[in-house]
Amino acid sequence: MDFQFLGLDPLAPTMERFDDQSAGGAFCQQLLLLGAKWWESEAGYSIVLDFEQRRAGNWMVDGAFAISKQPPPTMREKRIIKAGWPSTGGVWISEFDTTWAGVDEEENLLEGGELARLRLARTMDERCAMLRDRFRGVFHTI
């Protein structure tokens, strides 16, 4: 369903960079509309990348996994945001906290794997219904 929103063939998505920088920027804007993560700094992204590589079993990554040496995450880096664009207009938004560097909102955490259910939506309208009914989504008119 995200492929459809992005105008991509789900069975053969484009795997190359855009030749035109403005087309690439427009595609990135579409990703942000779906809730893609925005990193304020390379340092914040590198913490997650290092963690992901270690979780995958690659313990020989460069650098030390030292969160204390990095600046604290911004709220934008810390949040998980999911969006749905209903066919009737507007947007449904659900926001969640992540446990990062011991700073979290206990009342706004997701149960493990719960967000993966959102991937089961077959249409954008179905995704919107899930955001509304299961993930405390808030509707905004545009």
Side-chain angles (χ1 to χ4, degrees), residues 11-89:
L11 300 177
T14 305
M15 301 299 283
E16 295 88 28
R17 292 178 62 129
F18 288 93
D19 292 331
D20 177 22
Q21 189 173 4
S22 63
F27 182 76
C28 290
Q29 289 296 320
Q30 290 290 98
L31 291 173
L32 289 171
L33 290 176
L34 290 173
K37 178 65 73 184
W38 179 272
W39 297 100
E40 302 286 340
S41 68
E42 192 172 337
Y45 174 69
S46 68
I47 292 172
V48 174
L49 181 63
D50 189 46
F51 175 75
E52 289 294 324
Q53 288 183 6
R54 288 175 187 274
R55 190 172 72 171
N58 181 7
W59 292 95
M60 302 304 288
V61 295
D62 291 336
F65 184 68
I67 292 175
S68 62
K69 294 181 181 180
Q70 300 294 340
T74 64
M75 186 57 76
R76 193 177 200 180
E77 291 174 332
K78 215 166 126 9
R79 305 293 278 179
I80 296 172
I81 299 171
K82 294 297 177 185
W85 300 85
S87 58
T88 55

